[in-house]
Amino acid sequence: PEAAPAPDLASQAPTPAKVPVALGFGGRVERIDIDPAATFASVENRVLEAFGDCAAAHELVLSCGGSQIKTVDAILDLHARGDTIFATRFKSVSSMSLADVAAELALNEDEFKGHSFTLANLGRGSTAQDVADYFWREQALITHQQSARLFDLLLPQLAALNDTRIGGGIVRAQLILALHMFCVEPYAMWEPDDGMHECLWANMAWGSSYLPSQHRFATRGPLH
Protein backbone atom coordinates (compact mmCIF):
# COMPACT_ATOMS: atom_id res chain seq x y z
CA PRO A 1 0.00 0.00 0.00
CA GLU A 2 1.13 3.51 -0.75
CA ALA A 3 1.98 5.84 2.10
CA ALA A 4 -0.45 8.67 2.69
CA PRO A 5 0.87 11.96 1.34
CA ALA A 6 2.32 14.31 3.92
CA PRO A 7 -0.09 17.10 4.85
CA ASP A 8 0.56 20.44 3.16
CA LEU A 9 1.25 22.50 6.26
CA ALA A 10 1.54 25.69 4.22
CA SER A 11 -2.01 25.30 2.93
CA GLN A 12 -3.27 24.83 6.47
CA ALA A 13 -1.60 27.94 7.87
CA PRO A 14 -4.00 30.74 8.78
CA THR A 15 -4.30 33.36 6.09
CA PRO A 16 -3.42 36.94 7.11
CA ALA A 17 -6.44 39.23 7.13
CA LYS A 18 -6.51 42.74 5.70
CA VAL A 19 -8.13 44.62 8.56
CA PRO A 20 -9.36 48.21 8.00
CA VAL A 21 -8.15 50.43 10.84
CA ALA A 22 -9.28 54.05 11.31
CA LEU A 23 -6.16 56.07 12.11
CA GLY A 24 -6.63 58.99 14.48
CA PHE A 25 -9.53 61.41 14.16
CA GLY A 26 -9.09 62.54 10.57
CA GLY A 27 -11.14 59.79 8.94
CA ARG A 28 -8.14 58.10 7.31
CA VAL A 29 -8.47 54.30 7.04
CA GLU A 30 -5.63 51.89 6.24
CA ARG A 31 -5.89 48.16 5.61
CA ILE A 32 -3.38 46.41 7.87
CA ASP A 33 -2.20 42.84 7.16
CA ILE A 34 -2.68 40.92 10.41
CA ASP A 35 -1.46 37.34 10.76
CA PRO A 36 -3.40 35.31 13.37
CA ALA A 37 -0.07 34.01 14.65
CA ALA A 38 1.43 37.48 15.06
CA THR A 39 2.11 38.99 18.45
CA PHE A 40 -0.02 41.92 19.56
CA ALA A 41 3.11 44.09 19.88
CA SER A 42 4.01 43.45 16.23
CA VAL A 43 0.48 44.42 15.16
CA GLU A 44 0.77 47.65 17.16
CA ASN A 45 4.05 48.42 15.39
CA ARG A 46 2.45 47.87 11.98
CA VAL A 47 -0.39 50.23 12.83
CA LEU A 48 2.07 52.87 14.09
CA GLU A 49 4.06 52.53 10.85
CA ALA A 50 0.84 53.23 8.93
CA PHE A 51 0.59 56.60 10.68
CA GLY A 52 4.09 57.61 9.49
CA ASP A 53 5.51 60.97 10.69
CA CYS A 54 7.50 60.19 13.83
CA ALA A 55 5.33 57.23 14.80
CA ALA A 56 8.16 55.79 16.90
CA ALA A 57 7.75 58.63 19.40
CA HIS A 58 4.16 57.59 20.14
CA GLU A 59 2.31 54.86 21.94
CA LEU A 60 -0.89 53.30 20.63
CA VAL A 61 -4.37 52.35 21.79
CA LEU A 62 -6.62 50.15 19.64
CA SER A 63 -10.31 50.29 20.45
CA CYS A 64 -13.79 49.42 19.26
CA GLY A 65 -17.06 50.69 20.63
CA GLY A 66 -15.29 52.52 23.41
CA SER A 67 -13.49 49.40 24.68
CA GLN A 68 -9.75 48.88 24.40
CA ILE A 69 -8.49 45.96 22.29
CA LYS A 70 -5.59 44.01 23.75
CA THR A 71 -5.26 40.80 21.71
CA VAL A 72 -4.86 39.78 18.07
CA ASP A 73 -7.79 37.37 18.40
CA ALA A 74 -10.02 40.24 19.50
CA ILE A 75 -8.98 42.29 16.46
CA LEU A 76 -9.78 39.42 14.09
CA ASP A 77 -13.10 38.63 15.79
CA LEU A 78 -14.21 42.26 15.55
CA HIS A 79 -13.10 42.40 11.92
CA ALA A 80 -15.08 39.23 11.13
CA ARG A 81 -18.17 40.89 12.65
CA GLY A 82 -17.65 43.98 10.52
CA ASP A 83 -16.95 46.29 13.45
CA THR A 84 -14.74 49.35 13.00
CA ILE A 85 -11.38 49.32 14.76
CA PHE A 86 -9.91 52.66 15.79
CA ALA A 87 -6.25 53.45 16.40
CA THR A 88 -5.32 56.40 18.60
CA ARG A 89 -1.69 57.30 19.16
CA PHE A 90 -0.39 59.36 22.04
CA LYS A 91 2.80 60.39 23.74
CA SER A 92 3.49 59.32 27.30
CA VAL A 93 4.04 62.45 29.40
CA SER A 94 6.94 60.72 31.18
CA SER A 95 8.86 60.57 27.91
CA MET A 96 8.21 64.19 26.88
CA SER A 97 10.08 67.39 27.61
CA LEU A 98 8.21 70.30 29.20
CA ALA A 99 8.31 72.09 25.84
CA ASP A 100 6.70 69.08 24.16
CA VAL A 101 3.99 68.92 26.83
CA ALA A 102 3.25 72.62 26.38
CA ALA A 103 3.03 72.24 22.60
CA GLU A 104 0.61 69.32 22.92
CA LEU A 105 -1.67 71.11 25.40
CA ALA A 106 -1.87 74.53 23.78
CA LEU A 107 -4.25 75.58 21.01
CA ASN A 108 -3.00 75.14 17.46
CA GLU A 109 -3.01 78.19 15.20
CA ASP A 110 -6.41 77.55 13.62
CA GLU A 111 -8.03 76.97 17.02
CA PHE A 112 -6.35 80.09 18.38
CA LYS A 113 -7.69 82.24 15.54
CA GLY A 114 -11.22 81.01 16.24
CA HIS A 115 -11.02 81.80 19.95
CA SER A 116 -9.40 85.17 19.22
CA PHE A 117 -12.31 86.11 16.96
CA THR A 118 -14.81 85.23 19.68
CA LEU A 119 -12.93 87.13 22.37
CA ALA A 120 -12.55 90.16 20.10
CA ASN A 121 -16.34 90.49 20.11
CA LEU A 122 -16.90 90.76 23.85
CA GLY A 123 -19.88 92.91 24.76
CA ARG A 124 -19.82 96.23 26.55
CA GLY A 125 -19.09 95.88 30.24
CA SER A 126 -16.95 92.77 29.72
CA THR A 127 -13.96 92.43 32.01
CA ALA A 128 -10.86 90.31 32.42
CA GLN A 129 -13.02 87.96 34.51
CA ASP A 130 -15.11 87.29 31.40
CA VAL A 131 -11.93 86.39 29.53
CA ALA A 132 -10.94 83.94 32.28
CA ASP A 133 -14.46 82.50 32.39
CA TYR A 134 -14.34 81.96 28.62
CA PHE A 135 -11.08 80.01 28.79
CA TRP A 136 -12.37 77.92 31.69
CA ARG A 137 -15.61 77.16 29.85
CA GLU A 138 -13.76 76.19 26.66
CA GLN A 139 -11.01 74.33 28.57
CA ALA A 140 -8.44 76.07 26.36
CA LEU A 141 -4.74 76.57 27.04
CA ILE A 142 -2.37 78.96 25.29
CA THR A 143 1.37 79.51 24.77
CA HIS A 144 3.21 82.62 25.94
CA GLN A 145 3.19 83.93 22.35
CA GLN A 146 -0.57 83.49 22.16
CA SER A 147 -0.97 85.14 25.56
CA ALA A 148 0.89 88.21 24.34
CA ARG A 149 -1.13 88.37 21.13
CA LEU A 150 -4.42 88.20 23.02
CA PHE A 151 -3.20 90.79 25.50
CA ASP A 152 -2.45 93.23 22.67
CA LEU A 153 -5.84 92.49 21.12
CA LEU A 154 -7.96 92.73 24.25
CA LEU A 155 -6.33 95.44 26.38
CA PRO A 156 -7.54 98.42 24.30
CA GLN A 157 -10.97 96.83 24.02
CA LEU A 158 -11.40 96.14 27.74
CA ALA A 159 -10.07 99.57 28.62
CA ALA A 160 -12.60 101.18 26.27
CA LEU A 161 -15.48 98.98 27.44
CA ASN A 162 -14.83 99.99 31.01
CA ASP A 163 -13.94 103.64 30.30
CA THR A 164 -10.47 103.03 31.71
CA ARG A 165 -7.25 104.59 30.48
CA ILE A 166 -5.23 101.89 28.57
CA GLY A 167 -2.15 102.61 30.61
CA GLY A 168 -4.04 102.16 33.88
CA GLY A 169 -2.64 99.39 36.01
CA ILE A 170 -5.92 97.75 37.05
CA VAL A 171 -7.17 96.57 33.64
CA ARG A 172 -3.64 95.70 32.53
CA ALA A 173 -2.92 93.63 35.63
CA GLN A 174 -6.29 91.91 35.61
CA LEU A 175 -5.94 90.91 31.95
CA ILE A 176 -2.41 89.59 32.49
CA LEU A 177 -3.62 87.48 35.39
CA ALA A 178 -6.66 86.20 33.48
CA LEU A 179 -4.57 85.08 30.50
CA HIS A 180 -1.62 83.75 32.47
CA MET A 181 -3.87 81.35 34.40
CA PHE A 182 -4.28 79.47 31.11
CA CYS A 183 -0.72 79.81 29.81
CA VAL A 184 1.18 76.50 29.57
CA GLU A 185 4.50 78.28 30.22
CA PRO A 186 4.20 79.66 33.76
CA TYR A 187 7.74 81.11 33.92
CA ALA A 188 7.37 83.20 30.75
CA MET A 189 6.76 86.89 31.48
CA TRP A 190 5.15 87.66 28.15
CA GLU A 191 4.19 91.22 29.18
CA PRO A 192 6.59 92.51 31.87
CA ASP A 193 4.69 95.80 32.21
CA ASP A 194 1.95 94.60 34.56
CA GLY A 195 1.05 98.16 35.58
CA MET A 196 2.37 97.45 39.07
CA HIS A 197 6.15 97.61 38.57
CA GLU A 198 6.22 93.80 38.18
CA CYS A 199 4.67 93.25 41.61
CA LEU A 200 1.98 91.10 39.98
CA TRP A 201 4.61 88.84 38.40
CA ALA A 202 6.66 88.76 41.61
CA ASN A 203 3.67 87.50 43.59
CA MET A 204 2.46 85.01 40.98
CA ALA A 205 1.89 81.54 42.46
CA TRP A 206 0.40 78.19 41.58
CA GLY A 207 -1.67 77.13 44.56
CA SER A 208 0.50 77.86 47.56
CA SER A 209 3.80 77.63 45.65
CA TYR A 210 5.41 80.83 44.42
CA LEU A 211 7.21 80.74 41.09
CA PRO A 212 10.94 81.23 41.81
CA SER A 213 12.10 84.50 40.29
CA GLN A 214 15.36 82.95 39.06
CA HIS A 215 13.38 80.72 36.68
CA ARG A 216 11.32 83.54 35.17
CA PHE A 217 12.24 85.03 31.81
CA ALA A 218 10.86 87.91 29.77
CA THR A 219 9.79 87.16 26.22
CA ARG A 220 9.43 90.80 25.23
CA GLY A 221 10.14 94.20 26.71
CA PRO A 222 12.66 95.11 29.46
CA LEU A 223 12.49 94.04 33.08
CA HIS A 224 12.72 96.64 35.83
Side-chain angles (χ1 to χ4, degrees), residues 175-209:
L175 182 57
I176 288 175
L177 184 59
L179 293 172
H180 200 63
M181 285 192 296
F182 299 93
C183 179
V184 294
E185 298 160 286
Y187 293 106
M189 297 172 63
W190 41 266
E191 177 52 54
D193 182 6
D194 59 12
M196 297 182 174
H197 304 288
E198 295 176 20
C199 287
L200 175 66
W201 287 111
N203 290 282
M204 197 79 72
W206 289 92
S208 59
S209 300

Side-chain angles (χ1 to χ4, degrees), residues 96 98-112 115 135 139-147 182-185:
M96 299 169 66
L98 288 177
D100 288 337
V101 172
E104 288 287 337
L105 292 175
L107 299 172
N108 64 38
E109 185 60 22
D110 288 338
E111 292 169 332
F112 177 73
H115 288 294
F135 273 98
Q139 292 293 283
L141 297 173
I142 49 180
T143 65
H144 72 78
Q145 295 97 333
Q146 293 169 341
S147 299
F182 299 93
C183 179
V184 294
E185 298 160 286

Side-chain angles (χ1 to χ4, degrees), residues 85-96:
I85 295 170
F86 295 90
T88 306
R89 61 179 182 171
F90 65 96
K91 291 182 180 179
S92 173
V93 173
S94 62
S95 66
M96 299 169 66

Side-chain angles (χ1 to χ4, degrees), residues 18-42:
K18 287 189 175 294
V19 179
V21 178
L23 304 179
F25 303 103
R28 178 182 159 206
V29 176
E30 292 286 341
R31 299 178 73 85
I32 310 296
D33 288 327
I34 298 181
D35 190 322
T39 64
F40 188 70
S42 68

